[in-house]
């Protein structure tokens, strides 16, 4: 039986505190805040524009995509979803589903270097490099082992989920995780020799640190509410981060995004793209790569519809005037 209850609305209430599982940490409020914050953003419908084609196509970090959406890294699929599949097979299905939809997927990481990091990275390699390998914020030795593993593989880019620095299980390991400042992030960026994304940014300070370290992108993220209780929703902090670093670094965001309308809202608030976690993971374990492609197609249709109904012909037309943020 799957640990995910497959709720009609994936909002963090039913699975509060379920880790392992798919919930948010402790009271689950950080996950819930992500979803609730997006509900407070309303879209300004206005169709009094010249007619014309609507395109969701975009380019992010030099990659052409059918829309500005990525599948987020979701590691430990057996443990968290209760679904018997290897991390490699899961990653292949997810990445293939994304590739067929014209988008990209991230893979994850864990204590078991070979199973949880190298094999998912091999899945990226086996699918022509179209994926992003995410490294946990290990101490140097652990990071170096993963950078070394990536050297022989065709992997488009790499990321680090810096927000995993406090996870008790990972702090207790042989190469524990640690927090990362400018020096450590700069070292990783240089050692990687490929585009580097800092995932888990929730403040202007963290965003500016990523810029100073030479990172190529940030993901405004609280790890789907799984690393700390009581953080704000990600779209609550997105506008101030956008104000501080827009134009200096690519800005991605995740947390609670459940529709093309939600994608639209994040873009209007200044993000260049979004990551979606649980819905893609569930689609993948239930229906494999076809489920992922079908879900991406649904989001793309919804995004296109939102663009049509707001007079946006291209992704660049989605500006902050297109939404209202209510209290
Ligand atoms: C079961 C599970 C495992 C996850 N594993 C990772 C991981 O290994 N690395 C990472 O950066 N984020 C991980 N995340 C966080 C997601 O990448 C993403 O930030 C979050 O799920 C986005 O929120 P959403 O699921 O509400 O869309 C995980 C999330 C879940 C639910």
């Amino acid at each position: 039986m799957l640990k995910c209850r497959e709720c009609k609305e994936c909002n963090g209430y039913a699975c509060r505190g379920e880790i392992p599982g798919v919930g948010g940490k402790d009271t689950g409020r950080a996950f819930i805040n992500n979803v609730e914050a997006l509900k407070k953003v309303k879209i300004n419908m206005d169709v009094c524009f010249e007619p014309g084609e609507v395109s969701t196509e975009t380019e992010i970090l030099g990659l052409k995509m059918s829309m500005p959406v990525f599948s987020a890294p979701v590691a430990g699929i057996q443990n968290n979803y209760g679904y018997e599949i290897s991390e490699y097979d899961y990653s292949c299905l997810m990445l293939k589903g994304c590739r067929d939809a014209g988008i990209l997927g991230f893979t994850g990481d864990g204590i078991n270097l070979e199973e949880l990091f190298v094999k998912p990275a091999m899945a990226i390699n086996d699918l022509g490099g179209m994926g992003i390998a995410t490294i946990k914020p290990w101490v140097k030795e652990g990071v170096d082992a993963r950078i070394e593993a990536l050297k022989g593989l065709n992997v488009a880019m790499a990321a680090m989920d810096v927000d995993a620095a406090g996870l008790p299980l990972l702090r207790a390991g042989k190469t524990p995780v640690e927090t990362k400042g400018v020096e450590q992030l700069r070292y990783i960026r240089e050692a990687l020799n490929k585009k580097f994304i800092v995932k888990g940014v929730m403040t202007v300070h963290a965003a500016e640190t990523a810029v100073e370290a030479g990172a190529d992108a940030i993901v405004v993220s609280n790890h789907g509410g799984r690393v700390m209780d009581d953080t704000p929703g990600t779209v609550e902090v997105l506008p101030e981060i956008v104000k501080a670093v827009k134009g200096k670094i690519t800005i991605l965001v995740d947390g609670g995004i459940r529709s093309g309308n939600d994608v639209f809202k994040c873009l209007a608030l200044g993000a260049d793209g979004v990551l979606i976690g649980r819905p893609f993971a569930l689609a993948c374990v239930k229906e494999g790569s076809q489920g992922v492609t079908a879900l991406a197609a649904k989001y793309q249709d919804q995004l296109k519809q939102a663009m049509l109904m707001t007079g946006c012909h291209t992704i660049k037309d989605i500006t902050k005037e297109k939404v209202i943020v209510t209290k």
Side-chain angles (χ1 to χ4, degrees):
M1 210 178 73
L2 280 188
K3 287 187 188 172
C4 172
R5 292 175 182 74
E6 303 176 51
C7 301
K8 201 158 188 258
E9 184 187 77
C10 173
N11 55 22
Y13 282 97
C15 55
R16 282 164 179 262
E18 293 181 4
I19 303 176
V22 296
K25 188 175 162 72
D26 299 338
T27 70
R29 279 196 289 263
F31 177 0
I32 292 166
N33 288 346
N34 286 340
V35 176
E36 296 302 325
L38 272 161
K39 287 184 187 165
K40 291 186 187 148
V41 186
K42 314 280 162 67
I43 301 175
N44 288 325
M45 186 181 75
D46 180 355
V47 287
C48 292
F49 287 95
E50 299 297 319
E53 282 300 304
V54 171
S55 168
T56 63
E57 281 175 19
T58 191
E59 192 173 316
I60 298 183
L61 296 165
L63 292 168
K64 285 197 177 9
M65 300 174 71
S66 63
M67 62 175 164
V69 173
F70 299 80
S71 75
V74 170
I77 205 73
Q78 285 194 19
N79 212 10
N80 289 311
Y81 277 83
Y83 185 69
E84 288 302 316
I85 186 169
S86 74
E87 212 76 359
Y88 174 79
D89 288 344
Y90 168 77
S91 304
C92 285
L93 292 173
M94 177 63 80
L95 294 165
K96 181 177 182 315
C98 287
R99 189 194 60 188
D100 293 350
I103 62 170
L104 241 69
F106 285 66
T107 56
D109 190 7
I111 290 180
N112 187 329
L113 167 68
E114 193 56 29
E115 288 304 312
L116 297 178
F117 180 79
V118 177
K119 291 212 174 139
M122 279 168 66
I124 298 178
N125 177 78
D126 297 348
L127 273 146
M130 296 307 282
I132 301 165
T134 313
I135 303 173
K136 291 254 177 278
W138 312 107
V139 292
K140 186 171 177 297
E141 195 189 338
V143 171
D144 284 347
R146 282 151 180 90
I147 292 176
E148 196 52 38
L150 287 181
K151 280 197 180 138
L153 298 173
N154 182 9
V155 169
M157 299 175 215
M160 173 167 283
D161 50 332
V162 291
D163 53 7
L167 289 177
L169 191 71
L170 304 184
R171 285 192 81 86
K174 232 180 18 201
T175 56
V177 287
E178 63 179 9
T179 57
K180 299 289 182 191
V182 176
E183 288 314 312
Q184 293 78 23
L185 292 174
R186 186 174 291 140
Y187 168 78
I188 296 159
R189 169 69 177 95
E190 281 164 15
L192 266 171
N193 204 17
K194 54 177 89 228
K195 290 207 169 123
F196 178 47
I197 303 169
V198 178
K199 178 172 181 283
V201 166
M202 287 294 286
T203 63
V204 168
H205 167 262
E208 286 174 340
T209 303
V211 170
E212 203 183 330
D216 300 279
I218 52 169
V219 186
V220 176
S221 174
N222 57 16
H223 212 106
R226 291 170 67 81
V227 291
M228 189 184 167
D229 203 358
D230 284 315
T231 72
T234 50
V235 296
E236 291 179 274
V237 297
L238 176 64
E240 64 207 53
I241 292 173
V242 165
K243 202 167 157 211
V245 299
K246 185 83 178 176
K248 297 181 188 159
I249 197 163
T250 296
I251 303 170
L252 308 175
V253 63
D254 75 12
I257 297 163
R258 300 291 178 259
S259 66
N261 281 15
D262 285 346
V263 177
F264 182 94
K265 293 175 189 181
C266 293
L267 300 179
L269 293 175
D272 298 300
V274 309
L275 280 59
I276 299 176
R278 297 169 177 94
F280 273 132
L282 183 64
C284 188
V285 297
K286 300 259 318 177
E287 298 168 75
S289 68
Q290 287 178 354
V292 173
T293 307
L295 186 59
K298 182 174 143 189
Y299 292 146
Q300 188 176 14
D301 280 351
Q302 292 167 336
L303 174 59
K304 221 170 175 175
Q305 187 66 13
M307 291 170 70
L308 174 76
M309 297 302 287
T310 53
C312 298
H313 297 296
T314 70
I315 292 295
K316 285 200 167 59
D317 296 333
I318 307 174
T319 53
K320 65 173 186 289
E321 295 72 36
K322 303 291 178 183
V323 294
I324 305 174
V325 183
T326 57
K327 289 231 181 326

